[in-house]
Amino acid sequence: MFRALICGVIAVTLPTDAFAQAYQRPPKAVTDILDAPPPPSLSVSPMGDTVLFVRTTRYPSIEEVAAPQLRLAGLRIDPRTNGPARPFFITGLSVQALPDGKPFEYHLPNHGRPGYPVWAPDGKRFAFTVTTPKGIELWVGEAKPEGKLQQVPGVTLNAAIGDAFQWMPGSESLLVQLIPEARGEPPAKPVAPAGPVVQESDGKAAPVRTYQDLLQSPHDEALFTYHATSQLAVVTPGEKDAVRKLGEPAIVLGSDPSPD
């Protein structure tokens, strides 16, 4: 009996660092190929006189892959930022006047992850997001050598659904989706359901649609409403009262400013 007990103790004894092992890396020759930056993508201004060189990474980091996400009504939402889970980020941005100007490298904000730039209709500026742990910021850049990148103050975007921002036709303002003020904390999951899950059938065979991540409970509905509700506003960078709200907060699937 004593021998069996000793064997059992030995069988379950583990080294102290058994669960603290780091990820195994392939040989350097392999990582040099996998980690090689891809060639930059080009974004030509609407006027055709300027081009942006946009650099990105090939693969997301393990932190991005492991980040929490909500699966609601087919959406993948990062609850920390109220934006899409695993969004597309850029690592470098430069501008060049066509046809033979010299490239100018922008100093991107280093406190968050910049998104892809979107041209204003007149091609003089562009806008992009910066995703931080506290939310998604809106930035505007001048499309010229020595051009400045400036954050639009007082703006926290809601990018869970719909267009987080888009330029207005006059190129002076942007139509944005904001996080509603004083919306409070997200709804907590109930300890116990309010009642049983009931499914009805009339006894006839029928096809069942396989939509992804349907809302399964009142808590899912509350979470979707919380993260998808936006405050539409017109933002004019550089003005004293830069943010002008439009209507009441609502779930906005899409918005389209008129040409004039």
Side-chain angles (χ1 to χ4, degrees):
M1 179 66 69
F2 179 73
R3 182 179 302 174
L5 177 61
I6 293 298
C7 292
V9 172
I10 293 176
V12 299
T13 300
L14 296 174
T16 57
D17 61 344
F19 300 105
Q21 297 181 9
Y23 286 102
Q24 300 299 312
R25 300 281 295 177
K28 185 177 183 302
V30 176
T31 58
D32 287 345
I33 296 175
L34 296 177
D35 294 340
S41 60
L42 306 182
S43 180
V44 181
S45 70
M47 300 295 105
D49 57 354
T50 310
V51 61
L52 291 174
F53 295 87
V54 186
R55 297 188 297 279
T56 65
T57 57
R58 290 187 184 274
Y59 312 105
S61 66
I62 189 63
E63 289 81 7
E64 295 170 5
V65 174
Q69 61 175 289
L70 300 175
R71 299 170 178 264
L72 301 171
L75 302 177
R76 303 292 188 272
I77 302 174
D78 187 335
R80 304 168 304 173
T81 64
N82 215 109
R86 304 178 190 176
F88 180 85
F89 296 123
I90 68 174
T91 58
L93 183 66
S94 58
V95 64
Q96 180 177 341
L98 296 177
D100 54 1
K102 294 183 179 181
F104 169 74
E105 184 74 20
Y106 292 103
H107 295 287
L108 293 174
N110 57 12
H111 66 283
R113 304 296 299 275
Y116 204 90
V118 177
W119 285 102
D122 62 4
K124 296 180 180 180
R125 295 187 294 176
F126 56 88
F128 62 99
T129 60
V130 174
T131 300
T132 75
K134 297 182 179 180
I136 302 177
E137 302 171 349
L138 177 65
W139 285 65
V140 173
E142 299 173 329
K144 61 181 181 180
E146 307 298 330
K148 297 180 180 179
L149 302 179
Q150 293 183 326
Q151 179 185 357
V152 181
V155 172
T156 303
L157 298 176
N158 185 345
I161 189 171
D163 295 322
F165 73 92
Q166 55 183 306
W167 284 97
M168 299 287 279
S171 299
E172 296 297 326
S173 303
L174 298 102
L175 180 62
V176 302
Q177 296 180 178
L178 304 177
I179 297 291
E181 294 182 0
R183 70 171 180 174
E185 297 295 324
K189 186 174 183 179
V191 177
V197 177
V198 179
Q199 295 182 343
E200 296 182 1
S201 173
D202 57 4
K204 298 179 181 180
V208 178
R209 300 187 182 276
T210 55
Y211 294 116
Q212 285 187 329
D213 306 322
L214 296 176
L215 302 180
Q216 301 291 333
S217 65
H219 180 247
D220 282 354
E221 296 176 8
L223 277 178
F224 178 80
T225 301
Y226 177 86
H227 288 285
T229 299
S230 301
Q231 171 66 66
L232 277 181
V234 173
V235 173
T236 306
E239 289 193 356
K240 181 179 180 181
D241 298 323
V243 180
R244 178 166 57 90
K245 297 179 181 178
L246 303 177
E248 298 297 326
I251 298 177
V252 181
L253 299 181
S255 55
D256 189 16
S258 64
D260 58 358

